[in-house]
Amino acid sequence: MGPTADTDEAEALLGPGRTVHRHATDTDPELHAEWVLDLTGQAITWRRAHEKSAVAVRGPVTDLLLMVYRRRAPDQLDVVGNASLLEFWLEGVPFG
């Protein structure tokens, strides 16, 4: 399932410089298991990409998924950059 934030909650997440890079470290490189969440526009978008972001979180793909579902704390993964943005995104877009 995807994000369940309503429009007002999603809009609160948007702002300049708000990008989140998720990188799975345990997959075949040919899978390109990296995603960028872009919160800089008028809506939340995502793309498969390897690019510099405000915050990057790296770890096994299962741990990244568990983090999204709030079953694994971000501080149990490799977080580089604006960790508060990652927490802000996780709190603002509940998954379920």
Side-chain angles (χ1 to χ4, degrees), residues 46-93:
W46 69 273
R47 60 188 168 272
R48 278 187 166 216
H50 174 84
E51 58 189 66
K52 188 165 178 65
S53 296
V55 62
V57 59
R58 294 172 33 98
V61 70
T62 301
D63 288 347
L64 291 173
L65 182 61
L66 289 171
M67 179 196 67
V68 168
Y69 284 102
R70 304 298 280 173
R71 302 290 188 257
R72 171 100 52 234
D75 63 6
Q76 295 177 326
L77 299 164
D78 181 21
V79 177
V80 177
N82 186 349
S84 63
L85 174 59
L86 178 62
E87 281 290 341
F88 183 61
W89 174 73
L90 288 168
E91 289 172 11
V93 182

